[in-house]
Amino acid sequence: MHEEMVSIDIGSTYTKGALFIRTEEGLRFLRKSITPTTQEDLSQGFGTVYTQLTGLPHEGLSARRMDKRGTKETPRIRFSSSAKGGLRIAAVGLVPDLTLQIARLAAWSAGGKIVADSSYKLRSEQVTTILGASPDILLFTGGTDGGNEETVLWNARQLASSPFQGTILYAGNAAIRGEVLRILEGKRVVVAPNVMPRVGEIRIEETRQAIQRIFLDTIVEGKGLKQVQEFCRTEPVPTPAAVFDLVEAIGTHQKGWDRFCVIDLGGATTDVYSVGEAFWGEEGVVLKGIREPRVKRTVEGDLGIRVSAATLWDTVRPFFPFFIKCIWNDAISGGEVIQELQGSMETKSIVLSEAPTEEEIHRYVEKVTMDTSYLPDSEREKRIDRFLVLSAVTIATLRHAGVLEETYTPAGRIFLQSGKDLRPVKTIIGSGGYLSLFDLGEPLRLLFRKVSKGEHESRKKEDDASLLDLRCSTSTRIPLVPTNPVYYRDASYMFPLLGNYAKEYPKEVSKLAIEALVPESNTVLHQEVG
Amino acid sequence: MSSSGNTSKGKIVLGVIGYDCHSVGNKILEVFFNEKGFQVINLGVMVSQDEFIDAAIETAADAILVSSLYGHGLIDCQGFRDRCVERGIEDIILYVGGNLVVGKTPFSEVEEKFKRMGFDRVFPPDVDLEEVARLLEQDIHARRNGKH
């Protein structure tokens, strides 16, 4: 057995591809290719990458290619598409902590991002907000099976009379599914089993699949994707869903990889994936609310280092002294930056340089927001980028993680846990852009240690709102971020490409994924085969 | 309304309120009410008012049965009915039972206090569960008929 496999990811900026070979011994990486994404006709960039990888012509990606291949075996192809930065999903639920939260988890795990949400009864203002966010999919949940009908039917009527044009995915109370469908007649509606059939029971797999199906049917239209699809004789998956599949495969098939996180930071969003039990049943800890899934993804649409730099800065600013202290000064003593800057003539003066003021960072943020393809042109700017990256990762992890609240009861001290416990996470894998390039283990451990001790107080009392946003308001609330993770880099940014095959060859693909990781130490593992 | 949920004698949310971790009685209640034909959503121990109400909203429950055994019931249950009103389930049936207060307060006084707080029925720890089931069925029946 000797099979060549092509994997291509059509991102918003670059179209990337890799050629793998699968033998009895497993999967091997052969070569990769990258080209700018051709926005007006995605099939062009796709074809370029395909030809570079295989040496085979793509000829306008005609489906007839299959007949022209002659004696040479045409490799299998899988591809993913980031779909203009992700599927836009509006989540409608009943109780915020129950069905709405589960709807969010389902949307995230399918590779979507939440652009609007609503709980309890939909009022015209909420409908307006949802319409304004122009979601592709409205995930409509609420009620357990046989549970609440009144609010769910009310919401169905509100949606029916709204001008919403996208797809409504109904995954609420199954007992009234027929009635809901009748009310929504004339709308594009897809159904899935209830995301919460019983109180506290999470069922999101079918909803996740349904979201991906909708992604295929309604979003992958035009711009040449149809052609790519015919050429490959396969359907695309949303890029984050491919990564999700890979993360799940690693957590299932690779020994020692039962508790880890993957963080993918880009210009617009920060995605966090985690694998591991949400609740460990420790003595003295009681879980409140739903038990979150073992494999979880969240996406922060307001945390990125270019398109979303301004909203990131809004969140970071109240904590500026804390972040600058951790990231600027401590990183120097940690030696990490020195290493990063080696080879530069300016090393000494940079390392000893003054920390930037708020205004300096503010100006930089304005600059990169204006020009989102901007690359730093000095060492100082590089370090400001690094500051933005590390604060985005910290905040995204805090939001992904749950929290422990210390409470005294007649039976003594106990802790109430809500959300997912990431403390036992052994490894953090940085993927995408900056995180693939730089070793961030030391500063991240420091940041997590500080926030878990509640040392990130903001300067003013008025900032309490954003403090809550960080899910840590006082010393008795402990964010459940990883306590002592090691950092690995997906240095060749292979995760989306491997993810495309994660459903078919979970073992092989996950093995190659972790073999290709670059560990923290100075000894860099060279896994790439030329 | 459709008939879903009416196949059982009623849907009840069960749990031990506050920081109370007495779990044995809670399990007994779950088994008992299930056998009696009620649909039980058991939230277990250390349940907050909002958790009871969240579950009742999602399931469209007929009643909430609150247990308290550690003597702090009065504080834990304060404002429960008001909270139900605020959150839109003002007509839900509220029962409470257990060792509700510390000390030797006569039960009639305890009952009076909890009823003033908006609980429909209040039970001492030695209540006959058969009696509770009978009353519950009757109250749920009345609520459903009154409502529709």
Side-chain angles (χ1 to χ4, degrees):
Chain A
M1 188 183 68
H2 208 78
E3 191 194 13
E4 288 192 341
M5 308 193 316
V6 173
S7 179
I8 295 175
D9 175 52
I10 306 173
S12 45
T13 320
Y14 291 105
T15 299
K16 295 146 283 214
L19 181 66
F20 302 103
I21 186 157
R22 195 170 68 89
T23 63
E24 279 83 0
E25 284 103 66
L27 202 62
R28 265 194 309 133
F29 166 75
L30 281 183
R31 67 181 79 97
K32 59 191 262 186
S33 161
I34 184 164
T35 190
T37 294
T38 45
Q39 292 294 355
E40 57 302 330
D41 178 7
L42 300 171
S43 70
Q44 283 180 19
F46 181 94
T48 307
V49 169
Y50 175 78
T51 302
Q52 280 172 8
L53 289 174
T54 61
L56 295 171
H58 54 276
E59 291 167 42
L61 290 190
S62 118
R64 281 173 298 140
R65 170 195 67 101
M66 293 298 178
D67 308 321
K68 286 184 182 172
R69 66 191 187 196
T71 50
K72 193 173 186 334
E73 194 66 31
T74 312
R76 188 203 297 253
I77 316 176
R78 295 287 175 271
F79 75 109
S80 48
S81 160
S82 68
K84 300 165 281 174
L87 304 96
R88 302 174 63 81
I89 299 177
V92 172
L94 179 52
V95 170
D97 287 344
L98 297 174
T99 44
L100 178 58
Q101 177 60 11
I102 299 171
R104 285 195 199 104
L105 290 168
W108 285 326
S109 71
K113 70 177 174 202
I114 307 287
V115 292
D117 59 20
S118 171
S119 54
Y120 302 111
K121 282 186 175 167
L122 273 170
R123 303 288 171 187
S124 55
E125 308 86 76
Q126 272 105 33
V127 175
T128 309
T129 308
I130 290 173
L131 290 170
S134 56
D136 301 305
I137 299 169
L138 188 142
L139 176 53
F140 178 17
T141 68
T144 50
D145 284 348
N148 187 292
E149 301 182 0
E150 198 206 334
T151 304
V152 181
L153 292 174
W154 165 283
N155 288 349
R157 285 190 290 270
Q158 295 299 303
L159 293 173
S161 59
S162 81
F164 181 65
Q165 292 290 319
T167 305
I168 297 172
L169 170 54
Y170 180 68
N173 184 353
I176 50 167
R177 188 184 290 149
E179 231 168 314
V180 168
L181 286 176
R182 272 194 297 285
I183 294 169
L184 290 173
E185 223 170 69
K187 297 277 179 199
R188 191 157 26 165
V189 185
V190 173
V191 297
N194 193 349
V195 292
M196 190 181 80
R198 286 140 49 96
V199 171
E201 188 181 316
I202 300 182
R203 179 173 176 176
I204 57 177
E205 187 49 36
E206 292 94 339
T207 294
R208 176 174 134 78
Q209 285 165 14
I211 291 172
Q212 291 188 28
R213 176 105 321 263
I214 300 166
F215 166 76
L216 294 174
D217 295 344
T218 60
I219 297 162
V220 183
E221 276 165 13
K223 301 226 163 163
L225 264 193
K226 205 99 212 158
Q227 263 171 287
V228 176
Q229 191 167 323
E230 279 163 20
F231 177 77
C232 301
R233 297 189 176 170
T234 183
E235 293 165 326
V237 288
T239 307
V243 176
F244 187 93
D245 291 341
L246 176 66
V247 167
E248 187 168 35
I250 295 173
T252 310
H253 296 285
Q254 297 307 317
K255 223 175 151 215
W257 288 84
D258 50 349
R259 309 163 190 184
F260 67 99
C261 285
V262 176
I263 303 177
D264 183 345
L265 173 137
T269 62
T270 303
D271 291 19
V272 181
Y273 305 77
S274 65
V275 170
E277 291 307 321
F279 176 65
W280 299 87
E282 254 172 284
E283 182 82 20
V285 180
V286 177
L287 181 68
K288 299 304 247 180
I290 55 167
R291 184 187 285 250
E292 294 193 328
R294 198 177 71 89
V295 187
K296 174 186 174 185
R297 169 181 183 255
T298 48
V299 51
E300 308 302 338
D302 61 335
L303 305 177
I305 56 165
R306 287 296 177 265
V307 179
S308 308
T311 43
L312 165 65
W313 178 232
D314 285 345
T315 310
V316 171
R317 204 163 185 167
F319 305 95
F320 175 75
F322 165 76
F323 278 114
I324 204 73
K325 183 167 171 283
C326 286
I327 298 170
W328 204 272
N329 301 335
D330 295 13
I332 292 168
S333 55
E336 203 266 342
V337 167
I338 298 171
Q339 186 197 321
E340 196 178 295
L341 297 177
Q342 260 170 11
S344 157
M345 295 298 285
E346 299 168 283
T347 304
K348 241 194 171 140
S349 58
I350 290 147
V351 168
L352 298 175
S353 73
E354 283 287 305
T357 60
E358 258 181 270
E359 284 60 44
E360 186 179 350
I361 294 194
H362 189 77
R363 278 196 305 277
Y364 185 73
V365 165
E366 280 181 337
K367 186 151 108 184
V368 299
T369 314
M370 296 283 284
D371 176 10
T372 54
S373 58
Y374 184 80
L375 293 174
D377 69 356
S378 68
E379 294 300 336
R380 191 166 178 86
E381 284 193 345
K382 279 185 192 163
R383 288 183 61 189
I384 296 178
D385 252 358
R386 186 176 180 279
F387 170 85
L388 294 175
V389 166
L390 285 167
S391 37
V393 169
T394 307
I395 293 162
T397 310
L398 277 165
R399 289 187 189 162
H400 186 97
V403 66
L404 273 191
E405 209 164 332
E406 187 184 35
T407 307
Y408 289 88
T409 76
R413 185 178 72 161
I414 58 149
F415 290 94
L416 303 179
Q417 179 187 329
S418 50
K420 191 166 183 174
D421 188 357
L422 301 182
R423 286 175 303 170
V425 159
K426 292 183 271 193
T427 313
I428 289 178
I429 300 172
S431 183
Y434 201 101
L435 299 185
S436 286
L437 293 173
F438 298 103
D439 189 348
L440 299 174
E442 203 50 57
L444 281 180
R445 277 190 293 275
L446 174 79
L447 282 160
F448 290 160
R449 197 163 60 238
K450 295 260 184 193
V451 293
S452 64
K453 284 186 191 152
E455 286 176 18
H456 58 286
E457 297 96 350
S458 69
R459 287 161 304 187
K460 304 167 287 187
K461 264 279 169 274
E462 310 91 82
D463 289 328
D464 274 359
S466 46
L467 262 166
L468 274 174
D469 212 16
L470 273 171
R471 299 182 79 169
C472 175
S473 56
T474 66
S475 57
T476 52
R477 277 167 67 87
I478 304 159
L480 299 172
V481 293
T483 38
N484 198 23
V486 289
Y487 188 79
Y488 281 82
R489 293 183 287 131
D490 170 26
S492 39
Y493 199 34
M494 295 279 263
F495 270 37
L497 297 171
L498 285 167
N500 282 334
Y501 283 100
K503 283 269 189 231
E504 287 159 276
Y505 305 111
K507 273 187 199 151
E508 292 87 342
V509 153
S510 55
K511 183 162 178 278
L512 185 57
I514 57 168
E515 281 171 0
L517 291 176
V518 177
E520 250 180 70
S521 65
N522 296 331
T523 48
V524 176
L525 264 183
H526 287 289
Q527 201 59 46
E528 288 190 19
V529 191
Chain B
M1 259 197 179
S2 86
S3 63
S4 62
N6 291 353
T7 44
S8 71
K9 283 186 185 168
K11 213 178 291 175
I12 60 173
V13 174
L14 198 67
V16 187
I17 199 167
Y19 294 119
D20 192 340
C21 3
H22 291 86
S23 61
V24 179
N26 171 259
K27 288 273 182 290
I28 294 172
L29 290 182
E30 178 179 355
V31 172
F32 174 80
F33 285 110
N34 255 324
E35 276 182 4
K36 284 287 156 191
F38 294 92
Q39 200 180 325
V40 183
I41 297 111
N42 187 10
L43 303 179
V45 299
M46 300 183 65
V47 182
S48 71
Q49 290 190 6
D50 273 330
E51 286 173 303
F52 277 109
I53 299 169
D54 282 349
I57 292 173
E58 291 276 9
T59 58
D62 299 286
I64 295 176
L65 272 65
V66 178
S67 305
S68 177
L69 295 112
Y70 70 156
H72 302 254
L74 204 56
I75 289 171
D76 290 339
C77 293
Q78 205 87 53
F80 203 129
R81 172 64 76 184
D82 298 339
R83 214 170 180 92
C84 290
V85 174
E86 290 284 0
R87 298 199 48 195
I89 51 165
E90 57 278 3
D91 63 341
I92 196 155
I93 298 163
L94 280 185
Y95 280 17
V96 64
N99 296 312
L100 296 175
V101 294
V102 184
K104 289 194 166 42
T105 321
F107 181 70
S108 59
E109 273 178 41
V110 175
E111 187 179 17
E112 177 60 28
K113 272 185 185 156
F114 279 86
K115 282 201 164 166
R116 264 207 310 266
M117 279 161 55
F119 283 85
D120 297 295
R121 293 189 193 277
V122 186
F123 302 101
D126 56 354
V127 67
D128 177 6
L129 287 179
E130 294 287 346
E131 172 71 359
V132 179
R134 195 184 58 74
L135 289 167
L136 187 58
E137 193 180 346
Q138 182 187 309
D139 286 349
I140 289 174
H141 187 73
R143 176 182 184 257
R144 284 180 174 175
N145 289 341
K147 199 175 166 188
H148 302 294

